[in-house]
Amino acid sequence: MRTLIYQQLAVLGFTELSKTWQWIIAFMLINSLSAAILRKSLIAATTRTHTVRHGKDDGRADFFQICGVRNSSISAFDYILDHLHDGDGVYALCYSNFGFDIPIYITAMRKAIVRRNKEFKRLSRTTIGHSISMGDIIIHKMENNFDSTFSLNPCTYGFFLKEPLHTLLKYGGPLLLVSRFLLGWLGFIPIVPNHDLEKSSSSLALLIDQYLAIRNNTRNPGEDGLPRNLILSKDDYLLDNKIIRKTFAKSKFAITNNPHGDTRDKSALIHAYYELCGYRRTFELITIENEELAEDENVISFYRPGVNLINLK
């Protein structure tokens, strides 16, 4: 067996190299192969759902959120916190720098929902999925786990990308895959700064996996036909809004002037949520069993009938 291996190495010219180059090549192979073998286990071990705001007994909804590329699922949704009820829970799925794995992330999100269900009565609270950009890949595959979903600039499929980005990603996918393999353990080092308040960083392995997930995500007509709430940017430099509207034909849409995935202009985003939820700024008291109940007019009506007390026009 050893003789056969030696003969194969000789054919490849490995034995003709200097000892230094032989060690370098051996190290590169061990680096790449060991990282590829352990990658999924490491992603599963380091993926976590962060509690941004723990739900209380008087809450009406719980939000399960996930962000896009080079962002934080914790701080990217800060703009919405002041427009929720005090008892509402907010839970963020945080990416692992060992890579982006759709089944692992879906499992982590579902476990978070199960933990919430054990703590509170499931039917007394609305469950909402919340995503930005390519984070919609996860939320969209979990539509049946939520009462409602909201997605900002959904980058769910590769064909949503404008040209030439779509073509570059389509034909550059194999090169990205080879690059991730060759980087090995070096690809797991977080060296690319994120656009978030935590000043965190992403690894090259995570970024490559995210682009590959966009490229390789396949359509499910049954899921695409479900009603959704989508917020699109008027002049999105990345996505083709016409294709998104055609794909998610049964969804409700709102348009903002915010750049792709940018949540800094809070007022424009909140206006889009008001529009999607059917909320009107004509604030009135409502009466239930002869008792007047006043609602904060900043609170958005995310809640399903029977839970929501906001008077809609």
Side-chain angles (χ1 to χ4, degrees):
M1 184 65 181
R2 292 180 60 184
T3 303
L4 180 61
I5 295 175
Y6 186 83
Q7 290 175 345
Q8 293 296 325
L9 291 174
V11 170
L12 295 172
F14 184 78
T15 56
E16 302 297 325
L17 299 173
S18 65
K19 287 291 184 181
T20 301
W21 277 107
Q22 288 180 9
W23 280 109
I24 290 174
I25 293 174
F27 171 79
M28 291 176 64
L29 286 173
I30 294 172
N31 171 57
S32 298
L33 288 172
S34 61
I37 293 170
L38 295 174
R39 173 179 162 272
K40 279 187 175 290
S41 298
L42 292 169
I43 295 174
T46 54
T47 297
R48 62 191 180 90
T49 304
H50 180 84
T51 301
V52 179
R53 198 169 78 179
H54 193 276
K56 299 177 182 178
D57 291 337
D58 61 347
R60 301 183 184 176
D62 292 295
F63 295 77
F64 296 87
Q65 56 198 35
I66 184 168
C67 67
V69 177
R70 294 181 63 195
N71 215 322
S72 165
S73 293
I74 298 174
S75 61
F77 298 88
D78 280 357
Y79 63 91
I80 203 73
L81 293 180
D82 292 336
H83 300 270
L84 307 179
H85 284 281
D86 292 337
D88 292 348
V90 180
Y91 308 91
L93 182 69
C94 298
Y95 294 131
S96 165
N97 272 317
F98 290 105
F100 186 92
D101 188 280
I102 294 175
I104 291 175
Y105 287 145
I106 289 176
T107 299
M109 188 74 91
R110 283 177 175 158
K111 285 182 178 179
I113 295 174
V114 169
R115 288 194 297 269
R116 188 286 312 268
N117 291 345
K118 289 181 178 179
E119 184 174 2
F120 303 106
K121 291 181 179 180
R122 168 67 182 87
L123 296 179
S124 67
R125 303 169 77 90
T126 303
T127 307
I128 295 175
H130 210 180
S131 66
I132 297 177
S133 191
M134 64 87 55
D136 188 58
I137 294 175
I138 304 298
I139 295 298
H140 187 38
K141 290 183 179 296
M142 296 179 60
E143 292 282 350
N144 292 328
N145 295 103
F146 301 110
D147 296 308
S148 182
T149 58
F150 290 79
S151 184
L152 173 63
N153 306 128
C155 191
T156 322
Y157 303 112
F159 62 86
F160 282 2
L161 297 172
K162 288 182 175 179
E163 295 294 352
L165 296 175
H166 175 219
T167 301
L168 287 173
L169 187 59
K170 180 179 180 179
Y171 294 104
L175 180 61
L176 289 175
L177 191 60
V178 171
S179 299
R180 189 192 69 189
F181 176 77
L182 293 177
L183 283 169
W185 290 91
L186 298 177
F188 299 149
I189 302 173
I191 59 174
V192 183
N194 292 331
H195 305 298
D196 57 26
L197 299 178
E198 294 96 311
K199 299 187 183 300
S200 61
S201 298
S202 294
S203 68
L204 290 175
L206 173 59
L207 295 177
I208 290 172
D209 274 357
Q210 288 175 324
Y211 295 132
L212 287 173
I214 296 171
R215 174 186 182 271
N216 299 330
N217 192 30
T218 55
R219 285 195 64 183
N220 184 326
E223 293 174 346
D224 292 346
L226 295 173
R228 317 186 69 215
N229 297 283
L230 305 179
I231 300 175
L232 308 179
S233 296
K234 183 178 180 181
D235 299 309
D236 197 317
Y237 67 91
L238 193 64
L239 303 178
D240 189 325
N241 290 336
K242 291 183 179 179
I243 295 179
I244 295 175
R245 283 177 172 271
K246 184 177 180 180
T247 303
F248 298 132
K250 294 184 179 180
S251 299
K252 294 172 63 177
F253 297 90
I255 304 295
T256 73
N257 291 320
N258 294 37
H260 179 90
D262 193 330
T263 61
R264 288 174 294 182
D265 187 352
K266 298 182 179 181
S267 60
L269 283 174
I270 296 303
H271 179 76
Y273 281 90
Y274 284 145
E275 184 177 341
L276 288 173
C277 295
Y279 184 88
R280 298 293 182 269
R281 290 181 177 272
T282 53
F283 178 63
E284 294 181 8
L285 293 173
I286 60 176
T287 301
I288 296 181
E289 295 181 355
N290 299 321
E291 180 182 358
E292 286 188 342
L293 299 175
E295 287 285 344
D296 182 353
E297 63 177 333
N298 288 324
V299 174
I300 300 174
S301 173
F302 287 110
Y303 318 103
R304 64 170 179 267
V307 176
N308 174 33
L309 296 180
I310 295 180
N311 188 27
L312 301 182
K313 293 291 184 180

